[in-house]
Amino acid sequence: MIEDILQKKAKLVDEAIPKFLPITPPEELYRAMRHLLDGGGKRLRPSALLLAAEAVGGKPETVLPAAVAVELVHNFTLIHDDIMDEADLRRGLTTVHKKWGVPRAIIAGDAMYSKAFEILSCTKSDPQRLVESLELLSKTCTDICEGQWMDMNFATRKDVTEDEYMRMVEKKTAVLFAAALKMGASLSGSNNDNARALWDFGRFTGIGFQIYDDVIDLITPEEILGKAQGGDIVEGKRTLIIIDALSKGVSIDALGKSNATRSEINAALTTLKESGSIDYAMNKAISFVDQGKAALSVLPDSEAKLTLTRLADYMIERKY
Amino acid sequence: MIEDILQKKAKLVDEAIPKFLPITPPEELYRAMRHLLDGGGKRLRPSALLLAAEAVGGKPETVLPAAVAVELVHNFTLIHDDIMDEADLRRGLTTVHKKWGVPRAIIAGDAMYSKAFEILSCTKSDPQRLVESLELLSKTCTDICEGQWMDMNFATRKDVTEDEYMRMVEKKTAVLFAAALKMGASLSGSNNDNARALWDFGRFTGIGFQIYDDVIDLITPEEILGKAQGGDIVEGKRTLIIIDALSKGVSIDALGKSNATRSEINAALTTLKESGSIDYAMNKAISFVDQGKAALSVLPDSEAKLTLTRLADYMIERKY
């Protein structure tokens, strides 16, 4: 079962986090940094990095610092995104800024960011490959910021195109998956072709992951999701589902209406289902994941390669 | 004149900034990132980095990316600090969050941060030295966050000791000077002794710089300072001046009183002058700068070494 394999990888990451990011003075800062990290999570990005290392013949233990670094970058974006979205809950946990206030949440996020680079720089690898990975991670972080900026601009626009959405999603979500896989390979001494294939795999499945993530927001009840179902609708987020519906002239009354009632949100969900926009997005997600899996063909067959293929399927089957 | 030499170095940095950080899509994000940078500034940290390179026989042009990276890190902290302090003005300019709003200012700061690492990773140097510099910059950024966190905690405490203040200032301000000087040396192929001496120089003068910076806040009128004189008092900041005064049992009514009138602030300034606390801080600043200059003795004599000595004096003579 893919879930069992992923749980084993996640456990490796879970155990490494307190080692690489111990609670040291000022303790409360490090507690704020560890808050969401300690709340668990599927660790998909670091697990993908460890699998990429294995897929090119490397050892997961060697690239564990890089895996932790990638998870830290992901969690840093969650802390700052939650401030921007004024979110109270994340994975069922109080968000960092709700618990510590906005100024301290900004610092906690900033410190996670620098710790990610600090930890990555401790990976035992060829210095030239390490410089390339540090450069890749920094470029990736810039991309994430650009994607987040684009996403914010979208919320006030009615005319966001599918192309614009795809560029945004690539930057905001997909590049971190792609970078994780490429770093896992490159730091394990991979040749360029395999590293490139793993980058493509991460990029395509990362896009599929985000499209599906927006689907999950609409179809998953709060008790599983850990936050309100359909939250993206009232936030006015321009997801692929919304963009498709708007392009078909479908009207969604609850869109961007922060005081929308539960029944108004439910009406919007029914509308999006009936317009075929949820299915449209779902099919797009499947198609991107298929492209990702196809990119793996150049890699030699291995257990890790097979697991990556299954991971790709899992990314658009998960329930939260 | 030291001002002329510093202006020449600052010009090198000014010209490099648009090259390394051009306005690219999404343009408004890059405009927000360039907002404070384009407003000028003395560029003391990058200039010190360039001088350190020269002092060990290197070329400033080679380490220019590292100099820009250090200035970006400094400016990133300004953007996020201004959000936390709810400041409207910085160097006479509207702050980034006042102009673009808090969420976009958070992203602009984050993107500056990653760009700093991206630009540093482009420095042409031995890969092992480059990894060490990337690691040093990330550790420095963590220190800055820890220092900022400590500083925030101080504001609600009456019993901050001078020792605690010194640890905070070292992290929040001095390490970035120290790291700048060490990187300038190390990336130019310096031996460990010289790199260490330049680190010590940066650390000591950086502490002196910050102590003097807090003095400047009290003695410089708004038209020169670019923000309200005595702003630290109403903010309740625990500067060395305030810590010394409180330890002497001096009472400062305007301390932490955000609605203090101009005459209440002026009364506090007079009190701090008469208690000898401003002189106490000033003498401490001078003593640290002297320690910094002494650290340079191991370096071979050169024009750059002489300029660094003068820079150290300038750091506690400047008016803003």
Side-chain angles (χ1 to χ4, degrees), chain B residues 266-295:
Chain B
N266 287 340
L269 294 174
T270 307
T271 304
L272 292 170
K273 212 167 176 183
E274 288 172 355
S275 69
S277 300
I278 293 180
D279 283 343
Y280 176 76
M282 194 61 227
N283 287 331
K284 274 275 174 183
I286 294 169
S287 150
F288 274 104
V289 163
D290 284 342
Q291 276 184 274
K293 289 193 285 188

Side-chain angles (χ1 to χ4, degrees), chain B:
Chain B
M1 286 286 287
I2 177 69
E3 276 93 345
D4 297 332
I5 302 174
L6 286 178
Q7 263 186 17
K8 272 185 198 157
K9 295 286 178 226
K11 197 163 170 272
L12 268 180
V13 178
D14 289 347
E15 287 167 357
I17 287 169
K19 281 181 199 156
F20 287 104
L21 192 71
I23 307 284
T24 51
E27 279 92 356
E28 201 61 16
L29 167 59
Y30 284 88
R31 272 188 213 110
M33 289 160 76
R34 288 269 297 273
H35 178 63
L36 291 180
L37 278 167
D38 287 356
K42 292 179 293 297
R43 319 289 190 207
L44 292 182
R45 295 157 190 82
S47 296
L49 187 150
L50 299 176
L51 286 165
E54 288 183 88
V56 299
K59 283 186 181 143
E61 302 78 45
T62 313
V63 293
L64 206 45
V68 171
V70 163
E71 185 65 11
L72 256 58
V73 164
H74 173 54
N75 274 265
F76 135 74
T77 64
L78 298 183
I79 295 176
H80 281 190
D81 282 4
D82 285 340
I83 300 174
M84 297 177 214
D85 296 344
E86 297 177 18
D88 295 349
L89 280 178
R90 161 77 63 183
R91 297 173 187 159
L93 284 174
T94 312
T95 50
V96 175
H97 68 98
K98 265 276 153 184
K99 205 168 150 77
W100 280 274
V102 168
R104 284 180 168 79
I106 293 175
I107 307 177
D110 291 344
M112 299 267 282
Y113 209 165
S114 50
K115 272 285 168 188
F117 285 95
E118 208 180 314
I119 293 167
L120 175 59
S121 66
C122 295
T123 313
K124 284 192 179 66
S125 179
D126 167 64
Q128 185 54 42
R129 284 177 184 266
L130 199 43
V131 169
E132 282 164 18
S133 283
L134 285 158
E135 187 179 357
L136 177 58
L137 190 66
S138 58
K139 281 203 163 107
T140 302
C141 289
T142 305
D143 275 336
I144 294 171
C145 293
E146 290 181 3
Q148 173 69 5
W149 185 279
M150 291 165 77
D151 200 14
M152 287 188 70
N153 287 346
F154 287 179
T156 53
R157 283 177 49 196
K158 286 266 174 208
D159 59 349
V160 179
T161 64
E162 195 172 312
D163 272 2
E164 288 180 296
Y165 170 83
M166 286 300 173
R167 273 203 300 280
M168 182 276 287
V169 161
E170 179 168 1
K171 282 176 182 284
K172 193 177 165 179
T173 307
V175 285
L176 186 56
F177 277 103
L181 284 140
K182 190 174 181 183
M183 284 195 278
S186 170
L187 292 169
S188 303
S190 164
N191 66 35
N192 285 343
D193 284 350
N194 288 346
R196 173 78 212 197
L198 285 158
W199 165 273
D200 287 339
F201 169 81
R203 194 178 142 265
F204 286 126
T205 55
I207 295 172
F209 172 90
Q210 184 59 54
I211 295 173
Y212 182 67
D213 208 57
D214 293 338
V215 170
I216 287 181
D217 181 85
L218 302 182
I219 63 171
T220 309
E222 178 162 351
E223 56 270 28
I224 297 175
L225 198 59
K227 57 182 179 178
Q229 183 180 359
D232 287 354
I233 297 175
V234 295
E235 269 180 41
K237 270 178 78 173
R238 294 308 185 255
T239 62
L240 186 57
I241 304 121
I242 297 295
I243 291 168
D244 180 65
L246 291 177
S247 79
K248 285 171 181 164
V250 175
S251 83
I252 312 141
D253 297 337
L255 188 64
K257 194 177 168 188
S258 55
N259 61 352
T261 62
R262 192 66 253 167
S263 75
E264 284 176 301
I265 298 171
N266 287 340
L269 294 174
T270 307
T271 304
L272 292 170
K273 212 167 176 183
E274 288 172 355
S275 69
S277 300
I278 293 180
D279 283 343
Y280 176 76
M282 194 61 227
N283 287 331
K284 274 275 174 183
I286 294 169
S287 150
F288 274 104
V289 163
D290 284 342
Q291 276 184 274
K293 289 193 285 188
L296 291 185
S297 62
V298 302
L299 286 174
D301 285 335
S302 69
E303 189 69 34
K305 178 181 171 179
L306 194 64
T307 305
L308 282 172
T309 309
R310 285 179 185 158
L311 170 63
D313 290 329
Y314 171 77
M315 281 165 79
I316 50 166
E317 282 164 6
R318 70 207 156 85
K319 295 283 178 288
Y320 63 99

Side-chain angles (χ1 to χ4, degrees), chain A residues 123-136 186-187, chain B residues 121-131 134:
Chain A
T123 313
K124 285 194 179 64
S125 179
D126 167 65
Q128 184 55 42
R129 285 176 183 265
L130 199 44
V131 168
E132 282 164 17
S133 283
L134 286 158
E135 188 179 358
L136 178 58
S186 169
L187 292 169
Chain B
S121 66
C122 295
T123 313
K124 284 192 179 66
S125 179
D126 167 64
Q128 185 54 42
R129 284 177 184 266
L130 199 43
V131 169
L134 285 158

Side-chain angles (χ1 to χ4, degrees), chain A residues 21-319:
Chain A
L21 193 71
I23 307 284
T24 51
E27 279 91 357
E28 201 60 18
L29 166 60
Y30 283 87
R31 271 188 215 109
M33 289 160 76
R34 287 268 298 272
H35 178 62
L36 292 180
L37 278 167
D38 288 356
K42 292 178 293 298
R43 318 290 190 205
L44 292 182
R45 295 157 190 81
S47 297
L49 187 149
L50 299 176
L51 286 166
E54 288 182 90
V56 300
K59 285 190 180 136
E61 302 78 46
T62 314
V63 292
L64 207 45
V68 171
V70 163
E71 185 65 11
L72 256 58
V73 165
H74 173 54
N75 274 265
F76 135 73
T77 65
L78 298 183
I79 296 176
H80 281 189
D81 283 4
D82 285 340
I83 301 173
M84 297 177 214
D85 296 345
E86 299 178 16
D88 296 348
L89 280 178
R90 160 77 63 183
R91 297 173 187 159
L93 285 174
T94 312
T95 50
V96 176
H97 68 99
K98 265 276 153 182
K99 204 168 149 80
W100 280 275
V102 169
R104 283 181 170 79
I106 293 176
I107 307 178
D110 291 345
M112 298 266 282
Y113 209 164
S114 50
K115 272 286 167 187
F117 285 94
E118 208 179 313
I119 293 168
L120 176 58
S121 66
C122 295
T123 313
K124 285 194 179 64
S125 179
D126 167 65
Q128 184 55 42
R129 285 176 183 265
L130 199 44
V131 168
E132 282 164 17
S133 283
L134 286 158
E135 188 179 358
L136 178 58
L137 190 66
S138 58
K139 281 203 163 110
T140 301
C141 290
T142 306
D143 275 335
I144 293 171
C145 293
E146 290 182 5
Q148 173 69 4
W149 185 278
M150 291 165 78
D151 199 15
M152 288 188 69
N153 287 347
F154 287 178
T156 53
R157 284 175 50 195
K158 287 267 173 205
D159 60 348
V160 179
T161 65
E162 196 174 310
D163 271 4
E164 287 179 297
Y165 170 83
M166 287 299 172
R167 275 203 299 280
M168 182 277 285
V169 161
E170 179 167 3
K171 282 175 183 284
K172 192 176 166 179
T173 307
V175 286
L176 187 56
F177 277 102
L181 284 141
K182 190 175 180 182
M183 283 194 280
S186 169
L187 292 169
S188 303
S190 164
N191 67 34
N192 285 342
D193 284 350
N194 288 345
R196 173 77 211 198
L198 285 158
W199 166 273
D200 286 340
F201 170 80
R203 195 178 143 266
F204 286 126
T205 55
I207 295 172
F209 172 88
Q210 184 58 55
I211 294 173
Y212 182 67
D213 207 57
D214 292 339
V215 170
I216 286 180
D217 181 85
L218 301 183
I219 62 171
T220 309
E222 178 162 352
E223 56 271 27
I224 298 176
L225 197 60
K227 57 181 179 178
Q229 183 180 359
D232 287 354
I233 297 175
V234 295
E235 269 181 39
K237 269 179 77 174
R238 295 308 186 253
T239 63
L240 187 56
I241 303 120
I242 297 294
I243 291 168
D244 180 65
L246 291 178
S247 78
K248 285 171 179 162
V250 175
S251 83
I252 312 141
D253 296 339
L255 187 64
K257 193 176 167 188
S258 56
N259 60 352
T261 62
R262 193 64 253 165
S263 74
E264 283 175 302
I265 298 171
N266 287 341
L269 295 174
T270 306
T271 305
L272 293 170
K273 213 169 177 181
E274 286 172 356
S275 70
S277 299
I278 293 180
D279 282 344
Y280 176 76
M282 194 61 228
N283 287 330
K284 275 272 176 186
I286 294 169
S287 150
F288 273 104
V289 162
D290 283 341
Q291 275 185 274
K293 289 193 285 187
L296 291 185
S297 61
V298 302
L299 286 173
D301 285 335
S302 70
E303 190 69 36
K305 179 181 170 178
L306 195 63
T307 305
L308 282 172
T309 310
R310 285 179 185 158
L311 170 63
D313 290 329
Y314 172 76
M315 281 163 80
I316 50 167
E317 282 164 7
R318 69 207 158 86
K319 296 282 174 289

